[in-house]
Amino acid sequence: MPNTFGKGAKEHQKVVVVGLSKTGTSSLKVMLQELGYSVCGPKKALLAEVRGGNVAAIDATVEEYDAFEDWPWPLVYKEIHRKYGENARFILTVRKDADTWYRSIESHGYRTGVFNSMKNAYGYYRPFGRKDQFHKIYHDHNSEVTSYFAHSPHLLTQICLESDEGWEKLCDFLGHAAPEKSVPHRNKTSAESKRLRRALNSLIAPIYARLPVR
């Protein structure tokens, strides 16, 4: 049976990118926009609400958009699935291995403003000195997602952009014709901002890395 989840019933569908940050979620956002989806990216205020137990805070935003990526969306896929059922699809973006993901998260930590914490997302201010803990977060999340959809595997696909899984796999999953273009890569942080933030975080990193892990 062909996949008919595409544009014909687009007003009834939701597409949720449930991969953690730094797994290609920004690229997926651009790809989904190219396919005609309105995409909601990270919402720090909603992440704080969800972490505080108010999951219903996402409802209005979920109604407003077709697709979702970055925080808080990897935390609320179960609620969206329960509400939309067969009219939702879920994409687990991954890196080629946990070490690659951790290096990317660590690099992102160096580029993040010193007053911006990763605690609501990952439970830690920064990944510095927390490799084992972040590896566990990565593996546990991916395992939980795949286990949750084990009885409805047609609702989930896993995409690793580093493994040349791009337009064809995404479009086959959602029921679109694949465009003849390369997979986009997105990086919004300016070089000047990177240099300043990296310098400041380089001072913080060795101190934070020595703090006890809780």
Side-chain angles (χ1 to χ4, degrees):
M1 180 181 295
N3 186 339
T4 58
F5 186 71
K7 293 181 179 179
K10 188 164 150 328
E11 66 272 22
H12 300 301
Q13 64 180 269
K14 301 295 178 183
V15 178
V16 186
V17 180
V18 297
L20 299 176
S21 58
K22 312 313 294 180
T23 59
T25 60
S26 295
S27 294
L28 258 291
K29 178 179 182 177
V30 177
M31 294 167 77
L32 290 167
Q33 288 172 330
E34 289 277 353
L35 296 176
Y37 294 83
S38 63
V39 186
C40 179
K43 296 282 188 183
K44 291 183 179 180
L46 286 184
L47 174 58
E49 290 282 356
V50 169
R51 285 300 195 192
N54 182 20
V55 179
I58 70 171
D59 290 349
T61 303
V62 174
E63 286 295 317
E64 182 180 356
Y65 291 88
D66 304 319
F68 312 86
E69 61 87 24
D70 214 315
W71 302 104
W73 311 112
L75 301 178
V76 295
Y77 63 90
K78 295 177 184 178
E79 287 77 13
I80 295 175
H81 172 241
R82 283 194 286 267
K83 183 173 183 178
Y84 291 93
E86 291 291 319
N87 289 323
R89 294 293 184 273
F90 302 84
I91 302 169
L92 177 61
T93 48
V94 298
R95 300 299 296 267
K96 60 183 180 181
D97 54 50
D99 278 337
T100 301
W101 176 75
Y102 176 75
R103 287 194 297 270
S104 185
I105 282 288
E106 186 179 46
S107 178
H108 179 67
Y110 279 105
R111 301 193 306 270
T112 300
V114 294
F115 296 110
N116 296 330
S117 175
M118 295 183 180
K119 190 170 180 63
N120 273 346
Y122 292 109
Y124 299 96
Y125 166 70
R126 287 288 190 277
F128 309 141
R130 308 293 189 269
K131 182 176 180 179
D132 290 346
Q133 289 72 29
F134 273 73
H135 271 208
K136 186 176 189 304
I137 290 168
Y138 179 80
H139 287 303
D140 286 355
H141 175 75
N142 293 349
S143 177
E144 181 180 315
V145 171
T146 54
S147 295
Y148 180 81
F149 288 104
H151 297 295
S152 49
H154 62 291
L155 299 182
L156 176 72
T157 194
Q158 179 173 300
I159 292 180
C160 178
L161 296 178
E162 294 169 312
S163 301
D164 295 325
E165 295 177 343
W167 283 115
E168 186 172 347
K169 188 168 187 179
L170 175 67
C171 292
D172 182 65
F173 179 60
L174 297 180
H176 294 272
E180 295 183 1
K181 57 176 63 179
S182 60
V183 172
H185 175 72
R186 200 162 176 191
N187 189 336
K188 297 183 291 186
T189 307
S190 71
E192 184 177 352
S193 294
K194 286 180 184 179
R195 285 193 294 270
L196 176 59
R197 293 175 182 179
R198 181 171 288 277
L200 293 172
N201 280 294
S202 293
L203 299 175
I204 294 170
I207 299 171
Y208 184 72
R210 289 195 295 268
L211 296 177
V213 177
R214 296 181 180 179

